[in-house]
Amino acid sequence: MTTGRHRTPERARAALTSPIGVTAAVVGLIAVLSVAAPLGARYLGCGETAYLRVASSLSIAPVLQRAADEFNDQEHDYSGTCVYAQATEAGPHLIMTRLSGGPAGESTTTPDVWVPESSAWVELARISETGARTIETSPRSLAGSPVVLAAPEGAEGIPGATEASWELVLPGGREPDRPLVMVDPNRGADGMVAMYAVRRELGTGDEADAAMTEFVRDVQLDTAFGAIEPAGVYSGPVEAAPVTVLPEQAVWLYNSRGPETPLEALYPIEGTVSLDYPFVSTSDDPRMRSAADDLYEILERPAYREHLRELGFREPDGTASPTVADGEGIVASPPETGDDLTGDALLASVEDWNRLSMPTRALVLADVSDAMSTDLNGGPTRLEVAVEAAELGLSLFPDNTDLGLWLLSSRLGESGRSEAEPLAPLGGTGDEADTTRREELREIAAGIEVEGGESRLYDGVLAAYREMRDSYHEDKINSVILLTAGRDGGSSDISHEELVAELQDGFDPDRPVTMFIIAFGDQPDRAELSEVAAATSGTLYVTDDPAEIGDIFLGSVSRRLCVPDCDN
């Protein structure tokens, strides 16, 4: 598989930055009307007035808001309390956080009824003590929609609707110029399904983790932070149009509006997950529970079932009504689905994504001792390969990476090191106003020369580790990257045993700083270097081939998936 990154066409990228688009404006207007209606004089005469707050995913919000209006017209009274429904759209991740007792922003209100896109959100919310106490255990499904892949009809290199595979989302599984667009797994169940399917496709182990890393790097920049609006994504040429991960309902609704090039829903042969849009009562107030039951009864009426079909939803059991079955680009027969996307599986999928997509904060140590002047099998010297590795690393890390550089040699003063560049973002401005730090670091790396002397390796490693540990950033992956000939030779003030003990004592699994060591050429002290890396749940890579550097960097990033419990 390639390590290149696809990019979404400019108009598509603009849509992704505001993925909800026009639909949100329409839903917002309906929401205002739903909220405003109960505020009139109808509540006069009530002993008390209360509000049944309903939060739902965007796609199903129009149905909930219509039902809320009918509920309010009926003027419900529960033990002297008049209850009116207020239905709004809200991201499921926000509601899950609120129901779990976490911070979700002042604008997010705790609902009494929640209709997310998937029961998986409910299961995640119930993991918390607060959620387990208030959220009902038997959600009632309002509709169904399988997660599918989508592409323009007739797009080159795209398999048939029932011949597609989840391999299509992997970097090597589609045309190089055809990007993948999916929702951030933290924000949508369809994104979680994609991550889960990729992990199932790749399996486990170091090679699988490296492939997962490549997948996340490939798709990360083109990931949406809310429900994807196909009209925004598919506004460019078909030749460069992306593959998207969407609910089938979104494909149906897009095609129902008569676009110039309809989309085709692709049903992975390995199976998929069906979103079930559960109706969940989340209040421990008996009045709100009763009101929720009455609202659900309204939603079960034929007119509302038909409204759901007219929006492209399947029945809760997965069957397609004639309205849905006749939709362009849709295969009527239910796809193979599984119910194995449990809370644990979701948490693992989201954790994979978060670890791999989290920004890097790394201090690079470059050994410039005399040992780095030795050539590798008659080819380039160790230092030349180390410089090549540093330059490649600079090209791989994104702008939000914090990177610093130290040089190690006994010739560099009493400490045995020179702090060439402090930790700062690669995309930041350099010392010169018209340069970036990435450009400056590239120039510095290209100019590194052997200083001679011994490495003072162990002293330098310990100092760097303490620096990163003491200045730890919670929102970044913190690490030390060592490029070395691999020999301390007794040049440090501390021994190998003392260094390993210091690293083990200082390692905090809740605030991990990991050591990644890339050693060039023959390594008689390989076991000692491996112990240094293992003390921080890091790893040692030994190479004499410059062509391996790219895979080594990819492997080092993939190690994030096992920290702090990595095996070596």
Side-chain angles (χ1 to χ4, degrees):
M1 293 183 289
T2 64
T3 55
R5 177 174 289 136
H6 302 300
R7 300 308 300 271
T8 302
E10 198 166 307
R11 282 182 291 176
R13 180 171 292 282
L16 292 181
T17 59
S18 182
I20 299 176
V22 176
T23 308
V26 175
V27 170
L29 178 59
I30 299 172
V32 169
L33 296 176
S34 295
V35 172
L39 299 181
R42 289 186 295 167
Y43 67 82
L44 293 177
C46 296
E48 183 182 349
T49 299
Y51 296 93
L52 180 73
R53 304 186 189 277
V54 182
S56 71
S57 292
L58 176 66
S59 57
I60 205 169
V63 180
L64 271 296
Q65 287 156 352
R66 176 185 169 192
D69 289 340
E70 181 168 340
F71 178 93
N72 293 337
D73 289 339
Q74 296 173 358
E75 302 185 7
H76 290 270
D77 181 309
Y78 302 93
S79 302
T81 299
C82 293
V83 176
Y84 296 100
Q86 296 180 341
T88 59
E89 176 274 327
H93 63 291
L94 296 175
I95 300 301
M96 183 200 71
T97 303
R98 176 65 74 188
L99 292 174
S100 300
E106 294 181 2
S107 61
T108 303
T109 302
T110 303
D112 304 298
V113 171
W114 184 28
V115 185
E117 61 208 353
S118 171
S119 290
W121 286 111
V122 180
E123 187 172 350
L124 287 176
R126 282 186 52 81
I127 291 175
S128 70
E129 181 180 346
T130 301
R133 185 176 65 251
T134 60
I135 300 174
E136 69 173 304
T137 57
S138 300
R140 294 162 281 188
S141 174
L142 293 179
S145 188
V147 175
V148 300
L149 306 176
E153 288 185 355
E156 185 177 349
I158 300 296
T162 58
E163 300 169 349
S165 166
W166 282 109
E167 287 185 7
L168 196 60
V169 307
L170 298 175
R174 58 188 186 279
E175 296 292 322
D177 294 329
R178 192 177 299 286
L180 173 73
V181 174
M182 58 181 264
V183 70
D184 186 312
N186 293 283
R187 306 295 184 94
D190 39 341
M192 295 182 197
V193 170
M195 280 294 292
Y196 175 74
V198 168
R199 173 54 78 187
R200 187 174 57 181
E201 185 75 18
L202 296 175
T204 58
D206 290 345
E207 289 188 10
D209 285 350
M212 176 63 84
T213 302
E214 186 177 14
F215 166 73
V216 172
R217 288 177 61 84
D218 179 72
V219 73
Q220 184 179 359
L221 291 181
D222 297 323
T223 299
F225 291 99
I228 296 172
E229 175 56 63
V233 175
Y234 293 101
S235 57
V238 172
E239 295 77 17
V243 173
T244 50
V245 181
L246 290 168
E248 178 195 64
Q249 178 268 340
V251 177
W252 187 97
L253 191 62
Y254 174 76
N255 287 346
S256 72
R257 295 166 178 163
E260 182 177 344
T261 304
L263 295 179
E264 184 173 19
L266 310 173
Y267 302 83
I269 57 177
E270 303 91 344
T272 185
V273 172
S274 184
L275 307 182
D276 60 342
Y277 302 90
F279 182 97
V280 187
S281 177
T282 61
S283 174
D284 55 5
D285 185 333
R287 299 170 303 172
M288 296 300 107
R289 291 271 182 172
S290 296
D293 288 340
D294 290 339
L295 180 63
Y296 180 76
E297 286 186 10
I298 293 174
L299 288 163
E300 284 290 279
R301 293 174 185 171
Y304 291 91
R305 303 302 314 161
E306 189 59 31
H307 191 179
L308 287 165
R309 298 176 190 121
E310 291 170 352
L311 290 175
F313 290 100
R314 291 179 180 248
E315 306 305 304
D317 65 1
T319 58
S321 67
T323 302
V324 174
D326 292 342
E328 188 166 8
I330 301 298
V331 175
S333 57
E336 181 180 343
T337 59
D339 57 1
D340 50 352
L341 192 60
T342 61
D344 287 343
L346 281 178
L347 282 174
S349 298
V350 172
E351 189 173 85
D352 275 2
W353 174 270
N354 289 342
R355 288 193 179 194
L356 292 174
S357 61
M358 188 177 289
T360 297
R361 182 171 179 267
L363 181 54
V364 178
L365 308 183
D367 180 355
V368 291
S369 66
D370 187 61
M372 292 294 285
S373 63
T374 306
D375 65 65
L376 298 173
N377 301 322
T381 67
R382 285 185 166 112
L383 183 64
E384 288 170 340
V385 177
V387 168
E388 186 175 338
E391 291 175 338
L392 178 60
L394 284 169
S395 68
L396 291 176
F397 289 116
D399 284 347
N400 61 354
T401 300
D402 289 348
L403 212 63
L405 175 64
W406 289 7
L407 307 179
L408 304 182
S409 167
S410 60
R411 297 277 181 87
L412 295 174
E414 184 177 346
S415 67
R417 60 183 177 273
S418 171
E419 299 181 10
E421 277 290 307
L423 284 157
L426 286 178
T429 303
D431 292 336
E432 302 293 333
D434 59 346
T435 63
T436 65
R437 286 200 70 254
R438 184 192 303 275
E439 292 168 334
E440 286 189 351
L441 277 167
R442 190 174 286 121
E443 288 184 11
I444 291 171
I448 293 176
E449 297 179 347
V450 172
E451 296 289 339
E454 296 181 283
S455 66
R456 298 285 299 277
L457 199 64
Y458 297 157
D459 288 342
V461 165
L462 183 58
Y465 187 81
R466 287 172 172 171
E467 170 72 20
M468 295 300 290
R469 182 195 62 193
D470 294 345
S471 60
Y472 188 87
H473 284 205
E474 296 279 357
D475 59 345
K476 295 180 183 289
I477 297 294
N478 298 258
S479 60
V480 176
I481 301 174
L482 173 62
L483 309 176
T484 181
R487 295 177 178 85
D488 180 83
S491 61
S492 292
D493 292 337
I494 61 171
S495 67
H496 164 261
E497 292 76 14
E498 289 171 330
L499 172 62
V500 170
E502 287 278 1
L503 295 176
Q504 290 174 336
D505 289 344
F507 184 74
D508 182 349
D510 295 324
R511 294 165 57 89
V513 176
T514 49
M515 281 287 311
F516 295 109
I517 303 175
I518 304 176
F520 304 101
D522 182 52
Q523 294 300 317
D525 298 333
R526 179 170 186 152
E528 293 185 357
L529 289 175
S530 183
E531 289 176 2
V532 170
T536 65
S537 203
T539 193
L540 165 68
Y541 301 92
V542 176
T543 183
D544 56 9
D545 184 359
E548 294 179 348
I549 298 300
D551 290 338
I552 287 174
F553 271 110
L554 198 62
S556 70
V557 175
S558 70
R559 296 284 290 184
R560 297 177 178 187
L561 297 175
C562 61
V563 172
D565 301 311
C566 298
D567 294 326
N568 289 274

